[in-house]
Structures are given as C-alpha cells and as structure tokens.
Amino acid sequence: MRSPGKETVKPTYTGSVLHDALKELIRAGALGHLVTTNADGSAQVTCVWVGIDGDDLLTGHLSLAQKKLRNVERDPRVVLSFEGSGVQPPGLRQYAVVHGHAAIEQGGAPELLQELAHVYLGPEVRFPPMDDPPPGVRIRIKVARVGGIGPWA
C-alpha cells in the first residue's frame, strides 16, 4: 500500500483553471480555508490570507514551526475554500473549492504578507508588525481543479 504523499502519478495542468471571477473574489479579501493532511490521515484546517501569482495561489508564513508546513512537506495535496458574497437559488451562498498541489518556497513571506495586509487589514497597515522579520516561507499552490457554486464552478 502506498502512503498518500508518495503518489507516482504527477498531476497535469492544462491552461488556466482559475476563473476571473474567482481571482476577483480572492483579490477582494476572501479568507482562505486551507486543508492539509496530518500524518494520521486526518484533516488539518487553518485560515490563511491568499495571494495570486498568475494561476498559482500563494500564502505566506513567518514561523517555520506551523503544522500546515510539515503537512505540505509530507503530502503536497491541499484544498482551499473561499466563501463568496453572492447567493445562488435556492439560497446557498456562492463558494469555491480549489484542489491543488503545494510546494514550499524559501523566503518572501514578509513581502507577501505586507501586500496581503493591505487587502485584508487596510491600506495603512504595516505587517508583519516588527522590525526585520524573518524571511519565512511561501506556499505556492498549483491549482488542479475548482468546484463549488458560482461562476467558477
């Protein structure tokens, strides 16, 4: 039996899978709910600020001790969900579920977090609120597929 993080088949990515409406939702400050897989196979969920680089999603992390980072190193499969503001008949709020594969990139976290702080906290916010923050890491998510309810599904 193969362990979940040791897949031999690599995902294929064909063209853009991030609909413009989903990019707009994320750029407007929709909070991401990042799901990673714990060593025992259970789900670990955390809220994250999310940026966009082309058709990749990015998150920034200053502390290298975060469980989500260990989980991504062991098993790169991730899911992100976002709640929209529109309501679809018969009354369910729009949402997006993004499946992808994540990779950890060294450095760049303070710059990404400062950029995202302007979206999530306001244009005058300084983040991280410290002098000389550590370089941290970024998680880059290659999007494999998108579901949910809304124009992106």
Side-chain angles (χ1 to χ4, degrees):
M1 176 182 254
R2 256 183 296 197
S3 74
K6 306 297 182 198
E7 295 177 338
T8 56
V9 177
K10 295 289 183 193
T12 56
Y13 304 99
T14 56
S16 175
V17 292
L18 280 183
H19 190 278
D20 286 342
L22 179 53
K23 288 181 179 182
E24 288 175 27
L25 175 67
I26 295 168
R27 287 184 178 128
L31 195 59
H33 310 96
L34 176 65
V35 182
T36 62
T37 304
N38 289 318
D40 67 1
S42 63
Q44 192 263 349
V45 182
T46 188
C47 291
V48 292
W49 293 350
V50 180
I52 299 173
D53 182 21
D55 282 315
D56 295 346
L57 301 179
L58 296 172
T59 63
H61 312 277
L62 295 176
S63 171
L64 303 181
Q66 297 173 342
K67 190 171 200 175
K68 62 183 156 263
L69 298 176
R70 293 191 308 273
N71 286 348
V72 165
E73 286 176 340
R74 186 185 55 263
D75 185 345
R77 297 172 301 165
V78 298
V79 176
L80 271 161
S81 70
F82 301 92
E83 186 174 349
S85 58
V87 177
Q88 298 282 130
L92 186 60
R93 187 177 296 261
Q94 291 179 341
Y95 67 93
V97 179
V98 178
H99 298 258
H101 285 72
I104 295 176
E105 300 176 341
Q106 298 301 313
E111 297 82 5
L112 176 60
L113 291 169
Q114 178 60 71
E115 178 185 322
L116 295 175
H118 291 241
V119 174
Y120 288 95
L121 301 176
E124 301 303 319
V125 172
R126 177 178 170 245
F127 195 92
M130 63 181 77
D131 293 329
D132 198 28
V137 297
R138 300 186 319 177
I139 296 177
R140 178 175 297 273
I141 299 166
K142 297 279 187 190
V143 177
R145 63 185 161 86
V146 177
I149 295 177
W152 43 77

